[in-house]
Amino acid sequence: MKYNLTTRDRLIWPALLFVVIVWVGCVSESDEPILSLYRFEKPSHFPEPTYTFQNNDVNEKGFNLGKMLFFDPSLSRDGSVSCSSCHVQSHAFADTWLHPFSFGVEDREGVRNSPPLFNLAFQTEFFWDGGVTHLDFAPILAIESEIEMDESFENLVHKLNNHTQYPKLFKEAFGVEEITGPYVLHAFSQFMLLMVSADSRYDQFVKGDQNALNQEEIEGLLLFRKHCESCHREPLFTDLSYRNNGVQKTITDLGREAITEVAQDRAKFKVPSLRNIEVTSPYMHNARFEGLLQVLNHYTEGIQEQVNIDPLVFKNGKPTIQLTDPEKEKIIAFLKSLTDDNFINNPIFFNSNE
Amino acid sequence: MKNIKSKLAISIVFLFSSLFFSCQENEDPNSISQGEMIVKFDNYVGNQNMVIDEVGSTNYRYSNANGQEFNLTRFGYYISHVRLEGPNGEVFIDEMNASADAKQIKGYYRVVQGESDTYNIHLKNIPAGQYNKIIFNLGVKEDGIQEGAVGGILDRAAGAWFWNWNSGFINYIIEGHSPASLRDENRLQIHIGGWKNIPSADENPQRFFDNNVEVSLPFDATVMVSETMRPSPHIIMDLLKVIGDTDLAIQNNIHSPAAAVPFVQKLAEAFVVDHTHQ
């Protein structure tokens, strides 16, 4: 057959070439996520992050170094406790239910339940009382706290400088000959900044997948928006304010007052996010409740008159939130749709020390 | 043809050389003449020189207006945002930079009693001219805190005075012992810090206190800064101006912004320029 270049052929070849180019482009594009695994990306439906990335941009080496530190018990005074002892990935980096109050070195009991760690790049104040004003400073408190790791930060940095591996890794990640405090803190932050949880079924739903939630969960979402949204505001599920929702029977923990030094803040605590709430039991700063139904019963019946009780949950001598049993079930069903399996199973956070 | 070529060559040479000279001109020392100044800090307790004793010492060298004896085991302060002003509108603003890299830290200084190399603040790149006033911030402001972890004298792991539970630096630190204090080991700790204000509104009281203090000190004489003249103002700080009237039986354990406020009001008065060396 005689090969005859028709007009059609003349169009087909460039078109084919174009397809090939696009395909090659796609192939390299589908490589992208692997390259950017270690880059911070703001979920499209989230607000702008507040972390100072201009001073500490996340990269693979810094992230891995932060991870190594996070899982390393030799950082604590007696070598028994690492960050990961109290912040466990399968519990969205909260403590396990075995430890209602976190246990530090020598099993000294803490006074507050360890919170989960995620979406930290969007927060401006840390810890239940918000006393820590930058994510970089959070590890200092954890390390130096007598009931956590009970080690001076100064001593820890000294230990790292005398370690067989850390000096080399810090040089690779930050180009420094000597390990100093800020680089240790930057490494911790890089690891924690990538703990972004924004891929629950709820997220798929708000991003347009109508089938991501079932009917009961959608009704739960609507009830949630009516009763809970004013404090647990979407998409972070916290408005980042400090409030007293009445979980202390008698006030022993001053909460925010210890930081602001005004009685108007007594017994107020940071409104926690409710993402991954299914896996972070027990609940509240004082670990008062094991189950979500108990939490809802607290809001509808348990709250009593108390100093600084928030008027959104208690007014005119009684709890403001009224829910029937089926409504409670719906809210709980909705709360469980906030579990982000991709986050709590994400292998980039797995312990890779030895 | 040849003619054109050589004309081209000449003009290229001319072009480059003019570029070269204009670059040179930028470095002409006459147009941006600069100099330096060494600001010297000397700490006193009343009219006694300040001496640091070992922790646990019962040698009480000093006493306040209430007759309460005390000694000092740690004393110092942060200084930042230094500015110089002159009689003819001269202004020098010391460059500020907070960074993880200790070498990139600019404009933060710390005077630590007992470490004599910290007593002199070396100001550089001052435009040549006359100066008769120094203004500085006593403490570390928000711009040294909210950038996150920083190095050098601001690195907690290198001994920076930093509150871990209520983030912020201790601007001015006093530690020692006083028989008037009934705490363990007669301890005396006055840590003055705080860097933000949330003012009162409606029924809400003020939250937090910005305990940074602007200290503004006229020199005893106008000094001249130039390439060859490096003047040195000598500042004296008197601790008794701060705790001279304090009842050390009560005020011996200060660790928060609100509690520090009564001391802060007296801090600016504690500094004075004693004399200047031209």
Side-chain angles (χ1 to χ4, degrees):
Chain A
M1 198 177 94
K2 190 176 157 214
Y3 192 73
N4 193 3
L5 214 64
T6 64
T7 326
R8 218 170 118 228
D9 287 332
R10 261 182 259 145
L11 281 177
I12 279 175
W13 284 110
L16 267 181
L17 191 70
F18 178 74
V19 168
V20 168
I21 288 171
V22 168
W23 182 75
V24 170
C26 284
V27 168
S28 59
E29 214 164 76
S30 71
D31 275 348
E32 270 285 293
I34 296 173
L35 288 175
S36 64
L37 257 187
Y38 300 98
R39 215 176 300 141
F40 178 85
E41 262 167 64
K42 180 185 92 66
S44 55
H45 57 308
F46 271 31
E48 287 303 319
T50 50
Y51 185 78
T52 48
F53 287 102
Q54 71 277 15
N55 300 337
N56 185 31
D57 207 9
V58 184
N59 62 64
E60 182 172 357
K61 289 203 169 101
F63 172 90
N64 281 329
L65 182 50
K67 176 159 82 172
M68 186 167 166
L69 292 165
F70 195 87
F71 283 99
D72 188 348
S74 73
L75 303 191
S76 67
R77 187 175 57 74
D78 64 2
S80 67
V81 180
S82 65
C83 311
S84 59
S85 312
C86 303
H87 297 290
V88 182
Q89 184 177 4
S90 55
H91 297 269
F93 293 101
D95 212 341
T96 65
W97 56 270
L98 286 170
H99 295 167
F101 300 112
S102 297
F103 284 84
V105 296
E106 293 165 4
D107 276 0
R108 289 179 221 170
E109 206 171 324
V111 289
R112 293 181 189 161
N113 183 221
S114 93
L117 304 180
F118 51 76
N119 301 342
L120 297 165
F122 305 93
Q123 292 192 39
T124 48
E125 291 169 334
F126 303 88
F127 289 79
W128 280 104
D129 56 21
V132 171
T133 60
H134 194 289
L135 180 61
D136 288 356
F137 304 143
I140 307 180
L141 184 50
I143 290 159
E144 297 192 340
S145 164
E146 271 176 38
I147 44 167
E148 290 176 24
M149 298 165 83
D150 195 20
E151 174 66 290
S152 88
F153 184 46
E154 196 161 350
N155 214 15
L156 178 139
V157 172
H158 184 71
K159 274 198 229 172
L160 293 178
N161 271 310
N162 292 320
H163 194 271
T164 51
Q165 293 168 55
Y166 282 116
K168 182 170 159 278
L169 296 170
F170 273 89
K171 186 170 183 185
E172 282 169 17
F174 298 106
V176 291
E177 294 298 332
E178 190 200 347
I179 304 174
T180 59
Y183 295 104
V184 176
L185 301 174
H186 279 177
F188 272 123
S189 285
Q190 289 199 25
F191 180 59
M192 294 192 287
L193 285 164
L194 289 200
M195 295 175 180
V196 175
S197 180
D199 199 17
S200 66
R201 286 191 292 114
Y202 155 83
D203 295 290
Q204 287 148 22
F205 181 79
V206 293
K207 288 197 314 199
D209 178 359
Q210 298 297 313
N211 299 321
L213 297 184
N214 64 30
Q215 195 51 38
E216 188 189 24
E217 290 161 346
I218 292 172
E219 284 170 29
L221 170 60
L222 296 177
L223 288 164
F224 181 88
R225 286 184 171 153
K226 184 164 167 224
H227 297 288
C228 321
E229 180 83 34
S230 48
C231 301
H232 297 285
R233 190 175 304 152
E234 297 166 70
L236 298 176
F237 287 86
T238 165
D239 67 351
L240 303 175
S241 68
Y242 301 86
R243 299 170 186 265
N244 178 8
N245 71 347
V247 293
Q248 293 190 82
K249 283 189 195 125
T250 48
I251 294 167
T252 49
D253 189 334
L254 297 180
R256 185 71 175 156
E257 183 186 5
I259 303 300
T260 61
E261 304 179 80
V262 299
Q264 282 81 349
D265 288 340
R266 180 159 308 165
K268 291 186 186 174
F269 292 84
K270 189 167 66 189
V271 175
S273 172
L274 300 182
R275 288 177 171 276
N276 302 299
I277 196 74
E278 183 184 9
V279 296
T280 65
S281 165
Y283 303 116
M284 309 298 170
H285 77 272
N286 55 1
R288 181 160 162 203
F289 306 118
E290 261 169 69
L292 290 169
L293 186 57
Q294 285 173 299
V295 171
L296 286 175
N297 289 340
H298 169 74
Y299 280 113
T300 55
E301 288 125 46
I303 305 180
Q304 282 167 9
E305 182 71 70
Q306 195 178 60
V307 62
N308 298 328
I309 192 79
D310 200 291
L312 289 169
V313 291
F314 192 90
K315 215 173 175 174
N316 304 326
K318 57 178 192 298
T320 54
I321 298 175
Q322 312 272 298
L323 296 168
T324 63
D325 285 349
E327 285 176 329
K328 287 180 190 170
E329 290 307 322
K330 285 173 188 167
I331 290 180
I332 292 172
F334 164 68
L335 290 176
K336 290 184 176 172
S337 80
L338 292 171
T339 306
D340 182 350
D341 289 318
N342 289 335
F343 171 62
I344 60 181
N345 296 312
N346 188 341
I348 71 165
F349 301 116
F350 290 177
N351 184 4
S352 48
N353 296 2
E354 71 218 288
Chain B
M1 211 27 187
K2 199 180 157 197
N3 203 359
I4 293 178
K5 255 192 195 160
S6 61
K7 263 186 189 159
L8 201 71
I10 288 170
S11 46
I12 285 174
V13 168
F14 179 76
L15 201 77
F16 272 89
S17 55
S18 68
L19 273 178
F20 178 75
F21 280 112
S22 65
C23 288
Q24 284 266 301
E25 221 159 350
N26 275 343
E27 282 160 25
D28 179 356
N30 293 323
S31 64
I32 44 156
S33 175
Q34 293 184 336
E36 302 180 349
M37 189 184 279
I38 291 180
V39 186
K40 190 162 188 287
F41 286 83
D42 212 345
N43 297 320
Y44 279 78
V45 183
N47 51 20
Q48 290 170 271
N49 279 320
M50 186 183 283
V51 176
I52 295 296
D53 284 300
E54 261 180 51
V55 173
S57 165
T58 52
N59 176 17
Y60 302 114
R61 297 169 188 270
Y62 314 114
S63 65
N64 67 8
N66 303 323
Q68 295 167 322
E69 297 185 310
F70 65 96
N71 61 19
L72 295 167
T73 55
R74 190 202 296 267
F75 177 82
Y77 40 85
Y78 282 104
I79 284 173
S80 58
H81 292 273
V82 181
R83 206 165 83 226
L84 299 173
E85 289 177 6
N88 312 310
E90 292 91 341
V91 177
F92 162 72
I93 297 175
D94 196 25
E95 191 185 342
M96 299 293 305
N97 188 40
S99 162
D101 181 354
K103 287 187 228 85
Q104 300 296 318
I105 300 248
K106 294 204 178 87
Y108 292 95
Y109 307 94
R110 184 166 71 150
V111 174
V112 184
Q113 192 61 27
E115 297 177 16
S116 57
D117 57 327
T118 67
Y119 301 168
N120 294 327
I121 290 182
H122 197 152
L123 302 175
K124 292 174 185 151
N125 305 326
I126 306 172
Q130 294 185 306
Y131 295 94
N132 60 5
K133 191 175 185 185
I134 182 167
I135 300 122
F136 59 84
N137 176 60
L138 186 64
V140 178
K141 296 190 191 194
E142 178 166 0
D143 57 8
I145 296 161
Q146 290 303 75
E147 291 297 319
V150 281
I153 57 167
L154 301 176
D155 178 359
R156 164 95 184 193
W161 303 319
F162 183 82
W163 279 328
N164 63 13
W165 51 279
N166 189 355
S167 307
F169 291 90
I170 300 169
N171 297 334
Y172 188 95
I173 194 166
I174 307 166
E175 289 185 3
H177 306 278
S178 167
S181 160
L182 298 181
R183 297 174 58 206
D184 284 353
E185 304 214 31
N186 304 111
R187 216 172 271 283
L188 174 65
Q189 287 171 311
I190 299 176
H191 292 181
I192 299 174
W195 54 273
K196 64 181 164 187
N197 280 319
I198 302 181
S200 57
D202 304 328
E203 75 273 22
N204 272 312
Q206 160 141 6
R207 288 174 169 84
F208 299 103
F209 289 88
D210 184 352
N211 287 334
N212 280 280
V213 178
E214 186 178 279
V215 181
S216 174
L217 305 174
F219 294 164
D220 59 330
T222 298
V223 295
M224 188 70 200
V225 173
S226 75
E227 287 223 322
T228 51
M229 288 186 271
R230 190 173 75 177
S232 177
H234 190 140
I235 295 175
I236 282 183
M237 195 286 323
D238 177 6
L239 178 62
L240 282 191
K241 295 263 167 49
V242 184
I243 61 167
D245 302 327
T246 303
D247 184 351
L248 299 179
I250 302 166
Q251 304 274 63
N252 50 38
N253 197 17
I254 305 294
H255 294 276
S256 70
V261 169
F263 298 95
V264 172
Q265 288 152 356
K266 303 177 196 159
L267 282 177
E269 305 301 313
F271 292 82
V272 58
V273 172
D274 187 61
H275 58 272
T276 34
H277 300 279
Q278 173 61 59

